[in-house]
Structures are given as C-alpha cells and as structure tokens.
Amino acid sequence: MAAASGMPEEETAMFPDKSVHPRLDVYVWDMDETLVLLNSLLKSSYAEAFNGLKDVQKGVEIGRTWENLILQICDDYFFYEQIENYNKPFLDALAQYDDGRDLSDYDFNEDELVSPHDDANKRKLAYRHRVIAQKYLQGLRNILDNKTIKLWDELYDKTDEYTDRWLSSARTFLKECSGEDKDAVYSIAFANTSSNSTNAKHVNVLVTSGSLVPSLVKCMLFHLDSLITHGNVYSSWEVGKIQCFRWIKERFNHPNVRFCVIGDGWEECEAAEIMRWPFVKIDPRPGKLHRFPGLTLTTISHYFSVVYGRPDNENGEE
C-alpha cells in the first residue's frame, strides 16, 4: 500500500527502463536553520553569534512575527486546529482512503473528525490533505488577503536583510540544485515516466522534524513551494528521519541515483551515516563555510564524489 511504502502507488513503477536514464541527484534538505532561519532568531542564538553586530531584540521580534503568521495561516487556511494532533509523515499517507468525492460543498466544520483510527475518519483526514495539496499548488498569493500579503512581503524582506540575504541566497541555491529543466524535475517528482522525465537530473526533497502542515506553510511563506513540490515534503515528527530517508531511497529507485543530505542537526547527520549518504552540515555562524550565502554546487559535488566517486562525465560543474 502507498502508506506502507512511503510513496503513492503509481511511483512504484518509477524508471521502468533503467538503461535510458542519466544520473539523478537527490538533495535531501532539512528546513529549520538550513533553508530557513527561525528558531535561532527566536532564541537569539543567531544574533549573539555576531558578537554585538546584530540587534538581538530585533531578531527575536522578527522570529515572533513569523511564528504568529505561520500559526495564523495554518489555522485559518490549512485546518491546523482540526488536525494538529493527527500529524502524518507526508500528504499522501492516507491517499488510499480518499474516494475522490467532490469537496466543493463539503463542510469541514461539521464532519466531526476525530482521531483517525477507523476508515471513516481516515477518509475525513485524507480529504483535508487533498485540499491542502491543492492550496499548496495554488499558492498563498491566491489565498491570502492583500493586508496579509503586504505583511508577509515586508517581513520576508526585513528578515532577508537582517540575516544578510540568508533566505534569498538559500532559495537561489535550491533553484540551482533543481537544474534548469523545471518541467523535467516536476515530472520526476510525480513519477511521470514519459520521455520528458529522462532529462531530469536533480530533485529537491525536504525532510523536516516539524509537523507536516506548518512545514508546508513555511515552504510557501519562504518562497520554496515552486522548488519543492508538496509530494516531496516529509515530516519526521513521529517516524524519525531514518525512516523518511528509507522511503526516499525506495521512491527514487534509480540505477544512477546519488543522495546528499544538507542540514544542521545531529539527527539528519546520523541518518545520513546509516544510509551511507554524504552529509553537508550547515552552520549559520559568521565566517563558516557551509552557510548562506556561501555554499556552492562545487562544494556539494566534492561531498558527492567522496561517497560515490567522480562520474566519468564529470566536468567540474554540477
């Protein structure tokens, strides 16, 4: 079943003709303190590392504003109050229970969702997951009111300036990791085995220790949703990162696949070691090499080559 394998059923047929596919690089990202700075702002550890060069209180206030905005959007648009206690590791975890019902007139406030131990409540939760996926594809600018969008834009710019362009440079790097052929990356993420997918060489996957719905909302708020599909977002909250990594390995079952984990914590480091995948440790402190801006594809390629060797067709660029 899809939930047991960690992937939609159609993805089990991925890459049927292995001989025609080029190398596939799968970048497995952590979110907090890697692509996004938030906890270190709230706890003031980011600013304190600059030894007085950063306004500590300003950083804390920025973090609190983000925290409030994330929770507001989760509750108002993504059913978080209803499903907070029913976290799943990925949106398709209950897809087999979704009967495809038209939800345009469905009243989510009256269906009496309770702990989803039986099929009826698993179906109710699967309905919500389907709507969340649709809203992710729709984008926040087509959902939020103008006042909230203005607050969001100003907050993003203020945070990017305060963190010396951490957010925008991390996003730029994520875009570089995606490769130039966005259509091919999208196809491979959804197991489209058409001829277009043969050109896909790079995929970004997110494995976050946070719960699923806030993590999806953070992807949208920090402008990562165009580069990481909702099907490529995993929450390790209950299952742990090693389980998520195993699902990802099974999902991208490709003869020439290479995985690289990029994050700041011990859990993803330990899981990468178990999987024998290279691990790049992000360090937001000033002067460190593995941070944003600063991290490059050339650096990542060195980590790949240490574990996998250097491919015959490697030309020095990833």
Side-chain angles (χ1 to χ4, degrees):
M1 293 187 298
S5 65
M7 54 186 173
E9 290 180 359
E10 66 270 18
E11 289 184 357
T12 60
M14 201 170 194
F15 310 117
D17 184 358
K18 294 183 177 181
S19 64
V20 300
H21 292 281
R23 189 182 76 235
L24 170 66
D25 290 339
V26 179
Y27 301 91
V28 182
W29 294 90
D30 178 45
M31 176 179 277
D32 291 308
E33 311 315 309
T34 300
L35 293 171
V36 171
L37 295 179
L38 182 55
N39 291 335
S40 62
L41 297 180
L42 286 165
K43 297 176 180 179
S44 73
S45 58
Y46 174 80
E48 289 171 355
F50 284 80
N51 296 319
L53 296 177
K54 296 283 185 185
D55 184 332
V56 175
Q57 188 57 37
K58 181 179 180 180
V60 173
E61 291 172 358
I62 288 173
R64 287 174 178 166
T65 307
W66 274 117
E67 192 173 47
N68 292 334
L69 181 61
I70 291 164
L71 289 175
Q72 175 196 334
I73 293 174
C74 284
D75 288 341
D76 292 350
Y77 300 96
F78 291 87
F79 310 112
Y80 193 50
E81 282 185 309
Q82 298 178 0
I83 67 176
E84 180 179 3
N85 295 323
Y86 313 137
N87 186 62
K88 296 297 176 183
F90 48 92
L91 279 181
D92 280 345
L94 297 175
Q96 69 198 75
Y97 296 97
D98 189 341
D99 57 10
R101 173 178 174 174
D102 182 358
L103 301 176
S104 56
D105 296 322
Y106 188 87
D107 191 340
F108 288 98
N109 294 317
E110 298 295 333
D111 68 350
E112 299 180 348
L113 171 69
V114 294
S115 186
H117 295 308
D118 57 29
D119 287 1
N121 280 289
K122 287 177 181 176
R123 184 174 299 111
K124 294 172 187 176
L125 185 55
Y127 287 165
R128 287 162 172 79
H129 283 186
R130 193 207 315 169
V131 173
I132 290 169
Q134 292 169 349
K135 288 184 176 180
Y136 191 96
L137 291 171
Q138 188 178 0
L140 286 180
R141 292 191 184 278
N142 294 310
I143 297 174
L144 303 178
D145 58 71
N146 290 334
K147 180 180 179 181
T148 307
I149 290 175
K150 185 174 185 293
L151 168 65
W152 168 30
D153 287 342
E154 291 176 350
L155 182 59
Y156 185 94
D157 290 342
K158 180 190 292 186
T159 310
D160 202 38
E161 180 181 3
Y162 181 80
T163 60
D164 304 318
R165 297 188 302 109
W166 185 285
L167 301 182
S168 58
S169 61
R171 187 185 183 281
T172 297
F173 187 73
L174 194 70
K175 187 174 182 180
E176 292 173 358
C177 291
S178 298
E180 296 181 357
D181 190 346
K182 292 183 180 179
D183 292 334
V185 172
Y186 185 90
S187 296
I188 206 167
F190 286 94
N192 182 331
T193 55
S194 69
S195 59
N196 284 340
S197 69
T198 64
N199 295 321
K201 296 179 64 178
H202 314 276
V203 178
N204 290 308
V205 181
L206 185 72
V207 180
T208 172
S209 57
S211 55
L212 184 62
V213 171
S215 298
L216 289 163
V217 170
K218 285 162 74 173
C219 277
M220 301 174 79
L221 283 170
F222 288 99
H223 306 311
L224 306 176
D225 49 320
S226 64
L227 299 168
I228 303 175
T229 65
H230 60 74
N232 284 351
V233 177
Y234 290 77
S235 166
S236 65
W237 182 273
E238 283 93 5
V239 299
K241 294 208 170 182
I242 184 62
Q243 177 60 72
C244 291
F245 287 11
R246 286 169 177 154
W247 281 333
I248 292 166
K249 182 180 180 181
E250 179 183 356
R251 180 181 172 191
F252 295 101
N253 181 22
H254 185 286
N256 299 313
V257 68
R258 306 189 306 176
F259 298 92
C260 185
V261 181
I262 307 169
D264 75 300
W266 66 266
E267 189 181 7
E268 56 263 28
C269 177
E270 185 177 73
E273 289 180 356
I274 293 172
M275 300 298 292
R276 298 183 179 179
W277 295 349
F279 173 70
V280 180
K281 181 174 175 56
I282 297 296
D283 191 337
R285 292 176 295 176
K288 299 298 181 179
L289 291 175
H290 298 157
R291 66 191 311 277
F292 297 108
L295 190 64
T296 67
L297 283 175
T298 300
T299 300
I300 298 295
S301 72
H302 293 322
Y303 281 85
F304 271 126
S305 63
V306 167
V307 174
Y308 296 100
R310 190 167 294 279
D312 293 338
N313 61 347
E314 191 73 72
N315 59 9
E317 297 181 1
E318 285 293 311

